[in-house]
């Protein structure tokens, strides 16, 4: 039994990064479909019942437009980098209310030398950023169980980008989870080796890790008044 992705999947993305222009992509689009896009869509289709079992309010959506798979095209309108394509492909399994606000999600990232899976809340709106901080402040014991259980902390790494240097205004510096209150994002992730990403057992690996992360995602949903 073969896996969803292969060395050819990673090789295509590496070549795309080195030849990031429309002419090259159009010439090699069949390889993109065969080795990256179609395997991703198949994985999303196959994992849908597993995601529903983790939470009936989360979706694995295999639609080619507006579904779980991110576009390979970059939105370069507001960027100095005008490269038309990403050098990676990712997908997210998201909460059903994602069109109303930025929501917690489970994630998979395919990129040469930087494959990983994870879950959490990325770049929430300011009001929801404050909601999560206040929820952690008000419910520290349940936060400890959800976000600092050994099953999570020994396997995953908490994203530290964009973290505040000082405590957010209104929160005491001696709070037991002040470092978590400084976060602007709450995301746990772990790296995937090439062997893992190309394994026939990739789906099972994702389900096991997403299940481990579920209490953390559940807590973030509760903070935002979302069902899990």
């Amino acid at each position: 039994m073969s896996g969803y992705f292969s060395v050819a999947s990673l090789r295509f993305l590496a070549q795309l990064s080195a030849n990031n222009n429309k002419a090259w992509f159009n010439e090699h689009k069949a390889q993109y479909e065969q080795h990256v896009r179609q395997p991703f869509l198949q994985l999303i289709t196959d994992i849908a019942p597993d995601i529903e079992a983790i939470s009936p309010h989360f979706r694995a959506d295999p639609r080619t437009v507006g579904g779980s798979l991110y576009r390979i095209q970059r939105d370069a309108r507001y960027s100095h980098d005008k490269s038309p394509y990403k050098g990676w492909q990712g997908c997210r399994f998201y909460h059903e209310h994602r069109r109303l606000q930025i929501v917690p999600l489970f994630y998979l990232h395919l990129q040469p030398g930087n494959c990983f899976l994870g879950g959490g809340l990325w770049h929430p709106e300011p009001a929801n950023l404050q909601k999560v901080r206040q929820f952690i402040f008000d419910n520290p014991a349940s936060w400890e169980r959800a976000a600092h259980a050994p099953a999570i902390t020994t396997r995953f790494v908490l994203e530290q980008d964009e973290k505040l240097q000082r405590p957010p205004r209104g929160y005491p510096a001696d709070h037991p989870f002040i470092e978590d209150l400084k976060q602007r994002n709450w995301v746990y992730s772990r790296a995937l080796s090439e062997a893992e990403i190309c394994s026939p057992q990739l789906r099972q690996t994702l389900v096991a890790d997403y299940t481990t992360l579920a209490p953390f995602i559940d807590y973030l949903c509760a903070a935002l008044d979302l069902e899990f």
Side-chain angles (χ1 to χ4, degrees):
M1 176 182 175
S2 61
Y4 295 95
F5 305 111
S6 66
V7 172
S9 308
L10 298 170
R11 183 186 304 121
F12 173 85
L13 292 171
Q15 292 172 342
L16 176 59
S17 293
N19 301 275
N20 201 325
N21 61 79
K22 291 184 179 180
W24 187 92
F25 183 81
N26 288 338
E27 184 179 348
H28 297 83
K29 192 171 182 179
Q31 296 174 29
Y32 168 62
E33 288 288 338
Q34 178 183 357
H35 298 302
V36 180
R37 187 166 179 265
Q38 291 304 320
F40 244 122
L41 292 173
Q42 188 61 57
L43 172 60
I44 292 166
T45 298
D46 292 347
I47 206 171
D50 303 310
I51 297 297
E52 185 176 7
I54 292 172
S55 169
H57 300 284
F58 276 69
R59 303 286 182 262
D61 185 346
R63 287 179 299 166
T64 55
V65 177
S68 290
L69 188 65
Y70 284 103
R71 288 164 50 88
I72 194 71
Q73 292 81 7
R74 293 182 66 249
D75 183 354
R77 290 174 297 173
Y78 309 110
S79 173
H80 293 297
D81 179 2
K82 299 302 180 183
S83 302
Y85 303 103
K86 302 165 186 169
W88 53 271
Q89 184 85 80
C91 77
R92 73 280 202 198
F93 308 115
Y94 47 74
H95 194 277
E96 61 191 352
H97 289 308
R98 67 159 178 147
R99 297 195 182 280
L100 302 178
Q101 59 181 302
I102 296 172
V103 294
L105 51 77
F106 300 98
Y107 181 71
L108 174 64
H109 189 89
L110 180 69
Q111 183 178 14
N114 186 35
C115 296
F116 63 90
L117 61 80
L121 182 64
W122 182 255
H123 287 176
E125 300 90 341
N128 283 344
L129 177 67
Q130 177 59 26
K131 278 186 178 181
V132 175
R133 284 178 175 153
Q134 191 62 42
F135 202 74
I136 294 171
F137 181 80
D138 292 338
N139 302 278
S142 55
W143 173 248
E144 182 172 22
R145 292 192 296 271
H148 291 275
I152 290 179
T153 58
T154 58
R155 189 166 180 81
F156 303 93
V157 175
L158 188 65
E159 175 64 53
Q160 300 293 327
D161 283 357
E162 304 179 40
K163 185 176 178 180
L164 297 176
Q165 295 299 311
R166 300 177 61 81
R169 183 175 299 178
Y171 293 95
D174 62 351
H175 189 274
F177 296 113
I178 190 59
E179 293 304 313
D180 295 331
L181 294 174
K182 291 179 183 178
Q183 296 283 2
R184 287 194 177 101
N185 307 295
W186 291 273
V187 175
Y188 269 114
S189 66
R190 80 169 182 90
L192 291 170
S193 67
E194 182 175 307
E196 286 179 300
I197 203 73
C198 297
S199 169
Q201 302 302 314
L202 175 62
R203 174 184 164 190
Q204 290 89 332
T205 296
L206 296 176
V207 173
D209 280 347
Y210 293 157
T211 300
T212 300
L213 287 172
F216 172 65
I217 302 295
D218 186 0
Y219 188 98
L220 294 173
C221 286
L224 301 179
D225 299 315
L226 298 171
E227 294 180 297
F228 185 79

